[in-house]
Amino acid sequence: MQGRKKAGKTDSHEYHKHFEEEWKFIERSFQRLLELVDSGYKAPPDHNDFIKQNMETYTRVYNLCTKNDSAKCGVQAAGLLYGRSKEMIEKYLDSRVTKNVVNKKGEELLKQLYKAWESHQLVVKWGRFMFHYLDIYYTKHNQVDNLRVMMLRCFNSAVYEKIKVDLCDVLLKEVEKERGGNTIDRIVMKEAINLFVEMGLESNHIYEHDFETPFLEQTAKYYQRMSASWLSEDGGIHTYLKRVENSLNQEQQRSLSYLHSTSETHVISRVEQELLTEHKARVLEDPDAGTQALLANWKTEDLGRMFQLFARIHNGLDKMSEIVREYIKEEGKAINKKFSAGEVDQKGYIDASLELHDKYTGLFREFFNNNSHFFKARKSAFEVFINETLAPPKGDNQKITSSELLSSYCDNMMKNEKITPDELEATLEKIVELFTYISDKDLFQEFYRKQMSKRLLVSKTDNDNERSLISKLKLKMGAPYTSKLEGMITDKNLGAETQKSFLEYCKHKGKTVDFDFTTQVLTTGYWPAFKIDPLNPPTELASNMASFTEFYNQKTKSRVLKWVHSLGTATLAAKFNKGNKEVIVSTFQACVLLSYNSKINIQASDLAKEYALPFEEIKRTIHSLAFGKFTVLKRNAAGKKVVAESDIFHINEDFHTPQRKFKIPGVTRAVPGDPHDKTDESRRHVTEACIVRTMKARKQLSHNELQTECIKQLSHLFKPDPRLIKKRIEDLINRSYLERDESDRNMYRYLA
Amino acid sequence: KNLNRDNRSRSRTETRLTEERSTVMSSYSQRRAISDFKNITSASDAIARKVLQASGWNLERAVDDYYANRHKYPAAKLGDKKKIAKIFDKYMDEEESTDELFGEALFNFLSGIDVDPEESVSLAVCWKLNCTEMGRITRDEFVNGFSMLGLDSVKAMKTEMAKLKSIFNNPREFKAFYQWLFTYCTEDKRKTMDKEIAVSMWEQTLPSVFPLLKDWLEFVNENEQLKFVSKDLWNQLLEFARDVGDDISKYDEDGAWPVVIDDFVEWYNDK
């Protein structure tokens, strides 16, 4: 006994004796436990007694540590108990357990170890119970391991350290067996692996070092081998991804069943690396089974699998989306080519483009999880091919652009009365998507404006449909883009109102409106520019025109009305020998015909003079009346179907046609400006505005910076040509909006 | 002590960089600047000081300013206006009503001071006198101009004008002369010069300065779309000539060159 000689009432010698007595009992019961465990813990016949004895032991330990007069004695006692129990365990392990386990191999090792470990866990459990008080009283305050840790350490040094390498080998071999397709005892595996975890006490360090790392190594090597063999198989590339999928599932299951929970992610990522990352290029670019091939054969399921797998790895989808992009680009270019050879089928081209677009929407949604990489890929592909111009083979000066085609497509759709509103909505949505890819959006606007004006004024069109598309465009491009279009529709809608007010005004002022006279006021800025012909109207028309002008002027101040007669139509009642007819004609045609109310024969040039029209116009008008389908006029002299100034015409009294009411197709209306030219002009203005705006804000900028800034701002509307910007800058310098810096010729300054 | 001086010089450079119009300069460096200025321009002390001060003591800017605005800075000794007027009367054609030297009279005068009227040097004379209308020198321009230059005898004029040839070697002077030439050749209201005039001016003045002149003229003449030459193009052409020399590969296509010059380079490279 290592006690200090104490002077005092309690005799340390006494205590020492008492202690040893108690110890004998404790030792005995602990030994009993060890024997029991060693024999496999068959339930002892005197099970209850066993429990009672353990309780007794617990109490005695407790007493030894507490019920004495000196605290120091208690501590000493606890220390002794601790040390001696430790010795007992060590002795037991050394003598009984270690030899069972060391130098065993394979399954035998596993079995023995399993047994030993199970046993030891029991020892720990009961030992902790018996010596429980030590944990409360002693270990905490004296910087020693608590009982559990202490006992585990005993096992660690006695057993674990000696067999850990062998154990790891065995386990890995089992894993290999299982991967080969054999079944193994997973429970044993789990327990054995759990040993590593427990041996690490609080951290996973031991587990990771002694087991996980070798395990991952083996796993990596295994899959390296497998992937190489799979790929080198004949036709192996087709089944490769399926196999990868299987392997990943398997490994995940395996980790869940017997590895520690933290290992799952490590394992999976390792496998992914060996199977997917290493072979990424090989798999994706394979000519027979790679992404492109799958797209060509539209193997959506395979593509889906490919996506799922490669989505797991870092940067996995980059290559794949690149391939998708290039493929879509090729498909697009093929469409371009197809529709360029021969007459450009406008509708067909847009239909094909929309179809292509749709095809991928479905694919992305169902198989690619709507992943943004692919939407981006499709966008760049479309932006490339849709903006290539289709060159008509006739060698016309104007190349046909997709801006024009898309606009014409819309035009056709709006005029198509057979289409249902739902169908229309769906198609409009798709059209707007296609629209976003076009770079020359301002050119589209010009074409659309021109065509819409025709629709609104001449043909019939559904206002709601028009508005629907306009609002969609507005959403994409902002209000300034669609302001003119909206203005046009508003004008048209106001037309009815204005007409009503006009008639009321006339009634009020007692003016008579001789015939059914309708006007439509167009606000100049919104509508495309129409050619204004200086018509000298016939009397019938003139008075009504005057009335309307008066009405309009009193309604609004400071506005000037200009009459666009080229857009007007008239319905005339005509008396022919063979019956009365109603003739729908243009204003000019009406003028010509009305002249014949007063004279029978009129010379062409006189007509021109009477109405103050250029001869070209009269020529066309008369031609349509005399040499068209409905020959209401007849020339006095015979000859070619060309109108000369000196030609004299008269009404063809014998004219007959089965229809009672018919329209005489007129002269081709004066084309209100070529959209290309208009767009070029507006681009110049917009570019200049952009330059001035930027310079005003920044005061001073270098040439490159100015260019970059302008390109950025303008690409919203169209693709700006750097040359154009340069030219505008020069022009602005000339007009003293900007100047070059004297010392640095690349720097511009804003001149206020 | 050393530390102080370093600090001072540092702060000086800082102020010079941050505020161009700073007047915080030691008299030593001011004197240095003045003597440099005088060496370059052979102007008087007073003028040197004045110009330098106006340009914030930046030698480069001062010299440029001086050459561009000669008429503001008269010579040390003004020429006697009466004497000059007499010379003017001598050469002027009495039959003409306007008080100007032009046509044959001008021709005679120039020959009289040993200046070849056909040569570009004659233009330089007009520049020195700050003439405004092409082919004519008014009485005022004549008298005031020569007075400012301090020349009141034919002999003095001869010697001075002989020096004029040197401007073609002095880049700064030439630049000022060249830029003035544009305004001289264009009528009052216009901002652009007719192509034909530009071509003939270039032919006369640029040969020694612009190695690629022949190609440039060929290009310009072939190019039918180009009808007028803007001031920017005119000025930038000189810069271009200087930057590129005879080696067109030195051309920086990202530089802010006028579009016409870009086209020229393209055309030249295609040849």
Side-chain angles (χ1 to χ4, degrees):
Chain A
M1 167 148 136
Q2 298 161 357
R4 253 188 290 164
K5 279 238 161 100
K6 226 179 66 86
K9 289 227 169 111
T10 322
D11 194 6
S12 53
H13 188 69
E14 273 278 326
Y15 180 71
H16 176 67
K17 233 172 66 187
H18 170 72
F19 179 83
E20 288 303 326
E21 273 172 35
E22 296 295 285
W23 171 247
K24 276 209 188 67
F25 179 82
I26 295 168
E27 184 179 19
R28 236 192 356 258
S29 56
F30 195 49
Q31 190 61 30
R32 188 174 167 194
L33 168 69
L34 291 174
E35 306 279 324
L36 205 58
V37 165
D38 193 43
S39 68
Y41 198 72
K42 298 188 191 60
D46 44 355
H47 183 75
N48 280 338
D49 179 56
F50 173 66
I51 304 286
K52 236 175 48 186
Q53 190 175 28
N54 289 347
M55 280 300 302
E56 187 60 37
T57 319
Y58 172 85
T59 319
R60 293 200 186 202
V61 168
Y62 178 81
N63 288 339
L64 277 181
C65 296
T66 54
K67 283 206 173 84
N68 48 57
D69 294 333
S70 152
K72 285 205 189 105
C73 285
V75 173
Q76 282 169 14
L80 274 178
L81 287 173
Y82 185 84
R84 287 188 186 179
S85 58
K86 185 164 174 218
E87 274 169 32
M88 284 181 74
I89 294 179
E90 282 170 352
K91 213 165 86 185
Y92 161 74
L93 285 175
D94 275 336
S95 58
R96 305 283 192 86
V97 179
T98 313
K99 65 180 195 303
N100 285 346
V101 177
V102 162
N103 287 331
K104 295 283 194 317
K105 296 280 177 209
E107 268 197 53
E108 188 59 32
L109 169 62
L110 262 186
K111 228 170 46 191
Q112 289 300 331
L113 184 63
Y114 182 69
K115 215 172 75 178
W117 175 237
E118 285 275 298
S119 312
H120 188 73
Q121 284 183 333
L122 276 170
V123 169
V124 172
K125 176 174 156 210
W126 283 110
R128 281 178 77 198
F129 176 70
M130 282 192 230
F131 294 94
H132 182 66
Y133 193 72
L134 291 182
D135 259 344
I136 301 177
Y137 177 66
Y138 177 68
T139 60
K140 247 193 243 170
H141 303 168
N142 287 291
Q143 256 93 351
V144 290
D145 291 330
N146 67 37
L147 288 172
R148 173 172 168 274
V149 172
M150 178 267 278
M151 295 192 215
L152 284 180
R153 279 202 206 231
C154 293
F155 190 82
N156 188 337
S157 42
V159 179
Y160 177 75
E161 283 296 321
K162 299 200 168 83
I163 51 92
K164 65 182 180 185
V165 177
D166 287 335
L167 177 63
C168 184
D169 275 340
V170 173
L171 292 173
L172 290 183
K173 280 212 184 66
E174 289 295 294
V175 171
E176 185 103 13
K177 247 168 59 186
E178 196 182 38
R179 286 196 178 128
N182 304 309
T183 12
I184 59 172
D185 190 341
R186 280 190 165 181
I187 298 177
V188 170
M189 293 290 289
K190 191 168 165 80
E191 274 306 315
I193 291 174
N194 199 34
L195 170 64
F196 289 98
V197 180
E198 292 290 332
M199 285 295 104
L201 300 165
E202 297 307 310
S203 82
N204 277 347
H205 186 66
I206 302 251
Y207 170 72
E208 283 170 13
H209 183 267
D210 290 344
F211 179 71
E212 200 187 42
T213 315
F215 176 77
L216 289 175
E217 280 299 316
Q218 177 179 294
T219 310
K221 281 210 189 75
Y222 175 76
Y223 282 107
Q224 230 171 49
R225 271 199 331 268
M226 294 312 290
S227 62
S229 87
W230 289 339
L231 285 173
S232 59
E233 256 177 48
D234 213 14
I237 187 78
H238 292 277
T239 48
Y240 183 73
L241 286 180
K242 264 215 201 78
R243 284 173 163 157
V244 172
E245 210 177 34
N246 283 342
S247 308
L248 284 169
N249 285 339
Q250 265 180 31
E251 288 303 320
Q252 181 164 28
Q253 256 228 327
R254 184 169 300 121
S255 344
L256 281 176
S257 62
Y258 51 74
L259 294 182
H260 189 255
S261 56
T262 53
S263 296
E264 189 187 333
T265 35
H266 299 167
V267 173
I268 295 292
S269 72
R270 213 49 194 277
V271 177
E272 283 172 357
Q273 185 173 348
E274 289 304 324
L275 291 180
L276 293 171
T277 319
E278 291 292 315
H279 303 282
K280 180 161 96 167
R282 171 99 171 70
V283 173
L284 290 177
E285 291 172 6
D286 185 81
D288 295 319
T291 315
Q292 190 167 341
L294 293 179
L295 285 171
N297 295 323
W298 206 244
K299 293 257 167 66
T300 50
E301 213 187 287
D302 290 340
L303 283 168
R305 182 179 307 116
M306 192 179 263
F307 169 79
Q308 293 292 343
L309 290 175
F310 281 96
R312 291 162 168 250
I313 58 176
H314 180 60
N315 279 346
L317 293 177
D318 288 352
K319 190 94 191 101
M320 203 173 154
S321 59
E322 219 180 272
I323 299 180
V324 172
R325 181 188 74 215
E326 289 308 309
Y327 187 72
I328 299 181
K329 218 192 273 185
E330 286 308 312
E331 283 188 299
K333 287 200 178 157
I335 296 183
N336 277 0
K337 219 157 155 208
K338 177 164 161 212
F339 286 96
S340 292
E343 182 86 19
V344 180
D345 176 5
Q346 304 192 340
K347 184 164 188 299
Y349 177 75
I350 300 289
D351 274 335
S353 305
L354 288 175
E355 208 186 293
L356 181 66
H357 195 258
D358 259 351
K359 187 165 88 161
Y360 285 96
T361 312
L363 176 70
F364 294 163
R365 191 180 53 239
E366 285 176 43
F367 293 95
F368 286 3
N369 258 359
N370 277 338
N371 184 291
S372 63
H373 277 94
F374 295 94
F375 282 107
K376 263 191 229 140
R378 178 175 69 175
K379 179 167 186 266
S380 9
F382 263 78
E383 278 174 356
V384 167
F385 85 81
I386 204 107
N387 290 311
E388 283 177 0
T389 52
L390 307 177
K394 291 187 223 153
D396 285 34
N397 271 335
Q398 280 299 359
K399 291 211 169 134
I400 300 194
T401 60
S402 45
S403 315
E404 187 180 341
L405 292 176
L406 194 60
S407 174
S408 309
Y409 189 81
C410 294
D411 191 43
N412 283 332
M413 253 195 10
M414 294 292 178
K415 291 196 202 146
N416 184 354
E417 294 178 12
K418 298 192 198 120
I419 199 168
T420 70
D422 289 332
E423 259 174 45
L424 185 78
E425 266 301 304
T427 322
L428 285 181
E429 281 288 340
K430 293 189 207 153
I431 287 184
V432 174
E433 277 184 43
L434 211 59
F435 167 78
T436 23
Y437 301 134
I438 296 181
S439 55
D440 287 342
K441 297 188 173 74
D442 56 351
L443 192 59
F444 173 84
Q445 187 194 36
E446 278 305 317
F447 273 108
Y448 191 76
R449 202 154 75 104
K450 178 172 158 195
Q451 288 166 341
M452 185 164 117
S453 74
K454 275 211 195 104
R455 287 203 295 276
L456 290 177
L457 296 176
V458 182
S459 346
K460 263 199 226 137
T461 179
D462 189 314
N463 269 1
D464 287 334
N465 291 344
E466 299 280 355
R467 276 196 200 279
S468 170
L469 182 57
I470 292 177
S471 64
K472 286 187 175 42
L473 289 175
K474 189 166 166 183
L475 215 64
K476 282 268 169 175
M477 299 294 293
Y481 187 76
T482 49
S483 61
K484 292 193 188 142
L485 302 173
E486 288 184 322
M488 283 160 74
I489 292 201
T490 320
D491 274 349
K492 174 115 185 281
N493 287 341
L494 282 181
E497 287 262 336
T498 319
Q499 183 65 18
K500 232 172 46 187
S501 330
F502 169 60
L503 290 175
E504 274 181 28
Y505 172 82
C506 287
K507 229 194 310 193
H508 186 71
K509 289 270 175 162
K511 292 194 198 251
T512 41
V513 182
D514 286 333
F515 44 85
D516 200 354
F517 178 74
T518 337
T519 56
Q520 170 73 46
V521 180
L522 311 173
T523 314
T524 315
Y526 298 148
W527 298 79
F530 297 111
K531 199 162 81 127
I532 312 269
D533 283 308
L535 177 69
N536 188 16
T539 32
E540 296 92 329
L541 202 52
S543 63
N544 287 337
M545 279 167 61
S547 305
F548 186 83
T549 316
E550 202 188 294
F551 154 74
Y552 194 76
N553 283 337
Q554 63 88 34
K555 194 163 80 103
T556 57
K557 305 283 187 260
S558 67
R559 285 197 197 170
V560 178
L561 278 182
K562 287 209 183 78
W563 295 88
V564 185
H565 293 287
S566 49
L567 293 175
T569 51
T571 313
L572 302 176
K575 281 206 186 88
F576 292 105
N577 288 347
K578 298 205 176 136
N580 295 348
K581 304 280 177 210
E582 271 184 33
V583 194
I584 304 174
V585 286
S586 75
T587 309
F588 295 144
Q589 289 169 324
C591 293
V592 168
L593 291 176
L594 286 173
S595 306
Y596 288 94
N597 278 345
S598 37
K599 277 199 352 212
I600 300 192
N601 287 314
I602 313 183
Q603 196 179 48
S605 52
D606 288 337
L607 282 170
K609 255 187 254 154
E610 188 180 334
Y611 293 112
L613 283 176
F615 185 70
E616 273 308 305
E617 195 65 51
I618 285 287
K619 187 169 158 186
R620 274 205 295 268
T621 314
I622 297 180
H623 193 280
S624 67
L625 295 170
F627 301 124
K629 186 166 169 218
F630 302 98
T631 51
V632 288
L633 278 189
K634 230 176 163 179
R635 186 169 50 192
N636 288 4
K640 289 210 204 111
K641 289 191 174 178
V642 175
V643 177
E645 287 201 23
S646 52
D647 283 347
I648 303 183
F649 292 85
H650 60 274
I651 295 278
N652 182 7
E653 303 275 345
D654 293 323
F655 174 73
H656 178 69
T657 180
Q659 302 145 294
R660 216 189 74 87
K661 187 173 182 178
F662 58 95
K663 179 175 192 287
I664 302 190
V667 301
T668 39
R669 206 158 282 114
V671 177
D674 181 24
H676 285 275
D677 292 335
K678 277 231 76 193
T679 316
D680 285 340
E681 202 191 308
S682 81
R683 278 185 192 177
R684 260 178 262 145
H685 292 304
V686 172
T687 316
E688 281 192 3
C690 179
I691 296 173
V692 172
R693 199 172 47 229
T694 316
M695 288 306 294
K696 192 164 177 186
R698 310 274 282 271
K699 301 291 179 215
Q700 191 169 311
L701 268 188
S702 80
H703 176 80
N704 282 338
E705 282 171 351
L706 182 58
Q707 278 236 3
T708 329
E709 190 60 37
C710 287
I711 291 182
K712 203 167 72 174
Q713 288 189 27
L714 293 172
S715 6
H716 184 62
L717 206 56
F718 64 95
K719 199 145 161 227
D721 181 9
R723 250 184 87 101
L724 171 70
I725 299 181
K726 231 191 192 183
K727 210 136 208 327
R728 290 296 102 215
I729 295 177
E730 267 175 53
D731 210 55
L732 287 172
I733 293 180
N734 240 12
R735 279 148 53 195
S736 306
Y737 279 86
L738 305 177
E739 66 173 2
R740 284 183 201 266
D741 187 74
E742 300 99 35
S743 32
D744 180 7
R745 49 173 303 286
N746 272 334
M747 187 77 74
Y748 298 114
R749 247 207 302 271
Y750 178 69
L751 289 174
Chain B
K1 251 201 222 154
N2 275 338
L3 213 63
N4 273 344
R5 207 179 308 144
D6 282 350
N7 281 343
R8 247 188 296 132
S9 66
R10 205 182 315 126
S11 71
R12 205 184 310 134
T13 22
E14 277 169 14
T15 33
R16 208 188 296 192
L17 287 173
T18 50
E19 212 198 270
E20 288 186 295
R21 296 205 175 275
S22 97
T23 44
V24 180
M25 272 186 75
S26 80
S27 57
Y28 168 72
S29 31
Q30 281 187 352
R31 271 182 280 126
R32 269 272 300 280
I34 292 178
S35 78
D36 285 340
F37 187 89
K38 279 166 67 178
N39 281 338
I40 300 175
T41 63
S42 48
S44 71
D45 230 15
I47 292 190
R49 181 174 283 276
K50 192 160 145 206
V51 181
L52 276 166
Q53 205 140 27
S55 317
W57 293 98
N58 179 326
L59 186 61
E60 289 255 340
R61 288 211 9 206
V63 174
D64 280 335
D65 188 33
Y66 177 72
Y67 280 120
N69 302 301
R70 279 299 282 274
H71 51 282
K72 285 200 214 146
Y73 305 115
K77 178 169 171 274
L78 294 177
D80 185 347
K81 292 202 183 169
K82 285 213 194 76
K83 281 203 207 164
I84 300 172
K86 276 218 194 89
I87 303 177
F88 184 79
D89 290 326
K90 191 165 85 169
Y91 282 100
M92 199 186 79
D93 195 342
E94 287 103 17
E95 286 164 16
E96 290 297 326
S97 48
T98 51
D99 232 358
E100 293 172 338
L101 274 182
F102 65 92
E104 204 180 312
L106 182 58
F107 189 94
N108 291 334
F109 167 68
L110 288 172
S111 320
I113 53 170
D114 279 347
V115 170
D116 187 344
E118 303 290 308
E119 282 276 322
S120 49
V121 194
S122 61
L123 288 170
V125 174
C126 297
W127 173 54
K128 284 281 177 183
L129 297 179
N130 220 36
C131 301
T132 44
E133 211 184 317
M134 202 160 129
R136 295 167 182 265
I137 309 181
T138 66
R139 177 186 288 276
D140 282 333
E141 285 166 356
F142 191 93
V143 171
N144 289 330
F146 277 120
S147 169
M148 289 276 234
L149 293 171
L151 309 167
D152 47 22
S153 69
V154 173
K155 187 157 154 236
M157 289 177 193
K158 266 195 206 173
T159 19
E160 190 65 29
M161 294 302 130
K163 290 199 209 149
L164 271 185
K165 290 212 176 71
S166 71
I167 68 165
F168 290 97
N169 298 328
N170 180 334
R172 275 208 204 82
E173 281 204 296
F174 183 75
K175 180 169 165 180
F177 161 66
Y178 178 76
Q179 293 195 340
W180 162 88
L181 193 55
F182 184 84
T183 30
Y184 181 64
C185 295
T186 51
E187 297 129 32
D188 252 338
K189 298 277 169 65
R190 292 182 52 180
K191 286 192 186 152
T192 54
M193 193 195 284
D194 284 337
K195 181 159 93 171
E196 294 80 23
I197 304 182
V199 166
S200 89
M201 283 296 132
W202 282 328
E203 261 175 343
Q204 278 191 34
T205 55
L206 289 184
S208 55
V209 172
F210 188 13
L212 299 174
L213 180 63
K214 274 216 180 57
D215 299 292
W216 169 254
L217 292 175
E218 191 186 325
F219 169 73
V220 166
N221 281 324
E222 265 179 29
N223 188 344
E224 285 182 8
Q225 285 173 336
L226 182 68
K227 298 202 184 77
F228 302 107
V229 174
S230 70
K231 187 168 189 179
D232 192 48
L233 178 59
W234 176 270
N235 288 345
Q236 292 298 312
L237 185 66
L238 184 62
E239 301 292 323
F240 174 73
R242 285 190 179 159
D243 269 9
V244 157
D246 53 4
D247 180 10
I248 206 154
S249 60
K250 287 201 206 135
Y251 176 74
D252 174 16
E253 56 180 34
D254 287 329
W257 297 106
V259 175
V260 181
I261 294 188
D262 286 336
D263 288 341
F264 168 66
V265 174
E266 215 179 291
W267 171 90
Y268 183 88
N269 284 329
D270 280 342
K271 275 214 317 178

